[in-house]
Amino acid sequence: MNNQTKNQAEISHTALLHEANEFVKKGDYENFLAYCTEDTRWIFIGERILSGREEVKNYMKEFYREPPVFSVDTTVESGDFLAVTGEITLKDKNGTGHHYDYCDVWRFENGKIAALKAYVIEKKS
């Protein structure tokens, strides 16, 4: 095991996701995607399934016109899984912010994001 692999194995999934999300906050989706496996699979319950980094990249370009604003309320890590709850605000093409509650269940493989199952519910005002 080389040092880079060893360091990735030693970092918690929570810390790894936090590190990756710092790139999302800056709108640097390419560097975020480096934290994902090539065949990462993202399931947005009731909405869509994204297979592979390229589909995730296209999704981010379309829906993250501006970097999303999000907060984390709860994080629970167990084995290769990490569950995160919080709130996220996304702007639509007209610049209107839409607010959501979310629960993301992430799966990690060899220190990278292999899958996401996201439950996202729009907040009604």
Side-chain angles (χ1 to χ4, degrees), residues 15-25 28 31-32 35 113:
L16 191 72
L17 184 63
H18 176 74
E19 189 176 290
N21 276 337
E22 287 302 308
F23 290 109
V24 173
K25 290 178 181 178
D28 185 351
N31 275 318
F32 170 84
Y35 285 80
I113 297 166

Side-chain angles (χ1 to χ4, degrees), residues 13-14 72 74-79 81-85 104-106:
H13 298 314
T14 303
V72 173
T74 306
T75 303
V76 179
E77 188 170 333
S78 179
F81 292 90
L82 175 64
V84 181
T85 64
D104 290 346
V105 180
W106 301 89

Side-chain angles (χ1 to χ4, degrees), residues 34-72:
Y35 285 80
C36 298
T37 61
E38 192 65 42
D39 63 346
T40 192
R41 182 173 168 87
W42 290 21
I43 300 170
F44 294 91
I45 300 301
E47 187 184 334
R48 71 183 70 216
I49 297 173
L50 306 173
S51 297
R53 268 196 254 184
E54 196 62 30
E55 284 189 19
V56 172
K57 177 180 164 182
N58 292 336
Y59 172 86
M60 293 176 111
K61 282 182 181 177
E62 182 180 350
F63 289 96
Y64 296 177
R65 289 175 184 87
E66 290 184 27
V69 176
F70 54 91
S71 63
V72 173

